[in-house]
Amino acid sequence: MKKYIQPLLPVLTLYIVLLGAGLSIPGLWQPIAFIMFYVVLGQALNMFLGMTGYVDFGYVAFLGLGAYGMALAFSLFTDDGLGSGIIVVGFLMAVIFSILLSMAVGAIALRLRGAYFAIATIGVSEGFKYLIEGARLWGGSEGIIISSQLRDSFGSEMANYLSTFASDILIFAIGILAAILTVYTLHTRAGYALMALREDEDAAKVMGVNVTKYKVMAFGMSAVFAGLIGASAWTLKLTYVFPEDVFNIIYTVEAIVIVMLGGAGTLAGPVVGGLIYGILRYYLATVLPGFQLLVVAPLLVLIVTVFPDGVVGYIKRKLKGSRFSKYVI
Amino acid sequence: MVLLKLEKVTKRFGGLVAVNEVSLEIKHGDSIGIVGPNGSGKTTLFNLISGVYMPDEGRIFLEDQDITELPAFKRAPLGIARSFQIPRPFRSATVRENVAVGAMFGAHGEKMSVDEAMSIADHYIDLVGLGDKRLELADKLTAVEKKLLELARALAMKPKLLLLDEVVAGMNPNDVDKIVSLIKKIKEEEKIAAVAMVEHVIPAVMKFAERVMVMNEGKKMVEGATMEVLKMKEVAEVYFGTSQTIGESGDARG
């Protein structure tokens, strides 16, 4: 147990501090929710990019499908009297959608190596956007708006509470779940298999690692968490889903920056990366409105050249062999 | 029972026939050397046995099971392990973790837990003499230590057949002696058949191998008892283009 708890301590402490600050300091809840979104976005991508070293440019498609899963639950089942169970159904649909897409994409694209995989996945999120708009699927470009269904199901006060507060709490919960699962995975055979294939796929194969199996597994896990994020941070929080919003490649790029900045494949990496990036982006939007996205490119260049292991990767190396090394993985 | 049987195995890369109808039988516990000049098809042969490449023609059997089409990751659990000529450690992992991956996914079976794998790893790390480096990152090891890590990783897979690709190349004679006697000792203790492939360090082959196969231009040139084969004039010609025999000079670097 100890080996799981020790590395979780810094991450969970940070969550508690953020949660406490957000709840007790007036006006801080929204910025913290905004930052948490980036933390969790990084955590979900890290499960795949960090663990396997494969770059998924279609990552945002899983968030988008998760958002649609939740929205469809509301537009299909509001009249069925499910009560608050409709949110469970929504999350279930988000998860099923993400898994289905990850298996479909994974079965084909994960047979490709490195850069070829990255290129193959670019089409996935863009393809989905145009499919939904072009085929007028799920409301087409008008999207799905669930604010009236939310009011019908929960009453206007509860609906308001759900979108301004409960959806943010759900993001915290997803983050904690992601951290626990990441620690657990790192200590299992799967964790070692992923490390091996990330470091040297051919050597891993010769040593008996079924690389395709573990890549698909990591891909699916990452997709499920992305789907959960899409369902709560978009659908429940904003109460609407538009294809051009949710299938926007910028979220993929931001998630990659967060993972690389914090340290790919580490537990605390995306949390630290998300924190730094989220704060930067939030305050740049107020100081230099319009330029906040411009920070992404130079930041990525800087990390890759000067800091290839990321912040946590760097700290981890420095702490190697010291008694604090158990806390940073 | 024959451990490994190659039946007229051929591999082409475009117009180049890298391995040309090579047949070979290896029994349990054998020690075999494969020698031949650069480009003679030795590494391709290893890649065919370990499943990195699939042959264009011919069949490969492991203990009577046809493994010709079997992917590499399914061959390792059957007892085939190899080291790479240029060591390929998992750089961001420790020595211990590197070797543990071998124990986890090799021939010990799927039930092997992480903790068990770590203790098996420790055993082989001590055996190859890297005991005090077990918590170092593989990245930090010297070239010779990386070779030893390759060896420990392959041994931890509990192989029946150990393929060693130029393990002693680039080492000084003392290290060569140490490693050759280490491999001989482990091989006898664990009843492993070992095939070592070398290009230059002929003395190591003479100490290690009972049998030698000489390859040239993708073909099996000759196979037989080590000292007899190395005394053959044809073999010397492959190496030097002269009639001086390797057995006399003791070293192909001449």
Side-chain angles (χ1 to χ4, degrees):
Chain A
M1 260 334 253
K2 223 171 147 193
K3 68 181 179 191
Y4 300 119
I5 304 220
Q6 280 168 334
L8 276 172
L9 273 178
V11 174
L12 294 182
T13 310
L14 188 75
Y15 283 163
I16 291 164
V17 169
L18 285 176
L19 198 61
L23 291 174
S24 56
I25 302 167
L28 217 56
W29 183 252
Q30 282 315 314
I32 283 181
F34 179 87
I35 291 162
M36 266 313 284
F37 168 74
Y38 284 107
V39 168
V40 182
L41 194 70
Q43 281 185 289
L45 181 63
N46 186 47
M47 287 179 172
F48 179 66
L49 185 148
M51 301 248 193
T52 64
Y54 276 64
V55 181
D56 172 18
F57 275 111
Y59 171 62
V60 76
F62 300 122
L63 285 115
L65 274 191
Y68 268 100
M70 181 61 88
L72 284 171
F74 275 95
S75 63
L76 292 173
F77 306 124
T78 301
D79 301 329
D80 294 351
L82 293 168
S84 51
I86 197 163
I87 292 185
V88 179
V89 174
F91 276 123
L92 217 60
M93 284 177 71
V95 167
I96 291 168
F97 281 9
S98 314
I99 290 181
L100 288 180
L101 180 64
S102 73
M103 293 302 128
V105 175
I108 303 160
L110 280 174
R111 294 175 191 279
L112 303 171
R113 279 287 180 91
Y116 298 99
F117 171 80
I119 292 162
T121 53
I122 291 178
V124 175
S125 60
E126 291 297 295
F128 253 96
K129 183 165 77 188
Y130 293 118
L131 176 71
I132 290 171
E133 287 179 350
R136 315 209 100 265
L137 185 70
W138 301 339
S141 52
E142 277 106 66
I144 301 175
I145 298 165
I146 62 155
S147 43
S148 67
Q149 285 94 332
L150 265 175
R151 275 197 306 277
D152 291 350
S153 300
F154 299 103
S156 64
E157 201 172 309
M158 186 62 189
N160 192 32
Y161 175 78
L162 200 63
S163 67
T164 56
F165 184 71
S167 61
D168 297 331
I169 293 289
L170 280 171
I171 287 294
F172 269 98
I174 293 167
I176 291 167
L177 205 63
I180 293 171
L181 195 62
T182 304
V183 171
Y184 176 73
T185 307
L186 285 172
H187 285 98
T188 59
R189 283 167 59 93
Y192 285 94
L194 289 165
M195 176 278 286
L197 81 90
R198 181 185 64 218
E199 294 286 330
D200 192 328
E201 198 163 331
D202 289 320
K205 274 188 201 164
V206 169
M207 289 173 77
V209 178
N210 182 350
V211 295
T212 308
K213 173 178 138 186
Y214 289 104
K215 281 191 280 187
V216 169
M217 197 194 89
F219 197 52
M221 215 161 84
S222 165
V224 164
F225 274 85
L228 293 174
I229 297 167
S232 34
W234 271 321
T235 313
L236 287 181
K237 191 175 168 71
L238 304 174
T239 71
Y240 58 77
V241 187
F242 295 130
E244 69 268 29
D245 286 355
V246 293
F247 293 108
N248 187 344
I249 197 165
I250 186 69
Y251 293 107
T252 301
V253 178
E254 289 185 304
I256 293 170
V257 171
I258 289 163
V259 171
M260 300 301 288
L261 172 65
T266 63
L267 167 70
V271 179
V272 172
L275 198 65
I276 297 172
Y277 184 79
I279 292 171
L280 214 60
R281 191 156 171 346
Y282 187 85
Y283 289 101
L284 276 178
T286 51
V287 183
L288 286 169
F291 285 92
Q292 66 267 31
L293 288 179
L294 208 61
V295 76
V296 174
L299 198 59
L300 192 57
V301 172
L302 201 70
I303 302 158
V304 175
T305 50
V306 189
F307 233 18
D309 294 331
V311 177
V312 174
Y314 178 79
I315 295 171
K316 195 175 142 187
R317 264 184 187 254
K318 287 279 157 203
L319 288 180
K320 194 102 219 164
S322 85
R323 65 202 169 92
F324 297 109
S325 66
K326 296 191 282 293
Y327 295 93
V328 182
I329 65 167
Chain B
M1 187 166 44
V2 178
L3 176 59
L4 183 86
K5 191 165 152 196
L6 302 182
E7 268 181 15
K8 293 196 165 183
V9 173
T10 298
K11 177 70 189 172
R12 297 187 196 91
F13 296 107
L16 176 82
V17 189
V19 170
N20 195 351
E21 295 196 351
V22 171
S23 298
L24 180 68
E25 277 191 15
I26 298 170
K27 291 190 196 65
H28 291 270
D30 274 358
S31 12
I32 295 178
I34 298 180
V35 296
N38 198 6
S40 57
K42 303 186 304 290
T43 298
T44 306
L45 190 71
F46 265 28
N47 283 333
L48 289 168
I49 298 172
S50 59
V52 177
Y53 301 142
M54 302 291 150
D56 294 313
E57 280 159 44
R59 319 279 332 154
I60 304 172
F61 299 90
L62 186 78
E63 296 186 318
D64 293 341
Q65 183 189 348
D66 188 338
I67 61 163
T68 315
E69 313 284 335
L70 218 56
F73 76 86
K74 287 190 180 161
R75 295 188 193 195
L78 297 178
I80 297 180
R82 73 172 286 182
S83 73
F84 288 96
Q85 178 173 7
I86 299 159
R88 299 172 77 160
F90 307 129
R91 300 157 65 91
S92 74
T94 62
V95 168
R96 194 170 190 233
E97 288 167 335
N98 263 277
V99 181
V101 170
M104 265 179 248
F105 298 95
H108 290 279
E110 298 231 339
K111 296 246 156 52
M112 167 75 42
S113 76
V114 172
D115 289 336
E116 280 174 89
M118 288 295 171
S119 63
I120 291 173
D122 283 342
H123 170 71
Y124 288 103
I125 293 167
D126 288 336
L127 207 62
V128 300
L130 286 177
D132 52 340
K133 303 269 176 171
R134 76 180 82 231
L135 297 177
E136 279 296 335
L137 291 181
D139 216 8
K140 299 254 166 78
L141 300 183
T142 65
V144 172
E145 286 167 347
K146 279 183 185 152
K147 292 247 177 190
L148 292 170
L149 174 59
E150 283 277 314
L151 183 62
R153 218 161 61 157
L155 286 170
M157 291 168 68
K158 201 180 145 196
K160 290 173 185 159
L161 176 68
L162 178 64
L163 305 168
L164 300 164
D165 192 343
E166 302 276 5
V167 174
V168 294
M171 289 187 184
N172 69 46
N174 277 338
D175 286 336
V176 172
D177 279 351
K178 229 166 62 188
I179 293 201
V180 169
S181 38
L182 177 69
I183 292 171
K184 273 180 105 163
K185 187 178 139 236
I186 296 168
K187 209 185 114 336
E188 262 139 48
E189 278 171 13
E190 317 226 348
K191 298 185 181 60
I192 301 170
V195 182
M197 164 177 118
V198 289
E199 191 178 321
H200 293 305
V201 194
I202 301 299
V205 177
M206 295 197 287
K207 278 189 202 118
F208 162 79
E210 294 150 6
R211 210 143 52 91
V212 160
M213 171 166 97
V214 183
M215 287 187 74
N216 191 29
E217 292 173 351
K219 287 193 194 127
K220 172 162 147 184
M221 209 176 106
V222 61
E223 185 194 343
T226 306
M227 285 320 291
E228 284 166 33
V229 168
L230 293 181
K231 277 182 188 141
M232 292 168 84
K233 286 205 163 60
E234 303 93 300
V235 175
E237 270 167 15
V238 167
Y239 267 102
F240 309 122
T242 73
S243 58
Q244 182 196 23
T245 65
I246 299 172
E248 287 163 15
S249 80
D251 192 333
R253 269 168 299 200

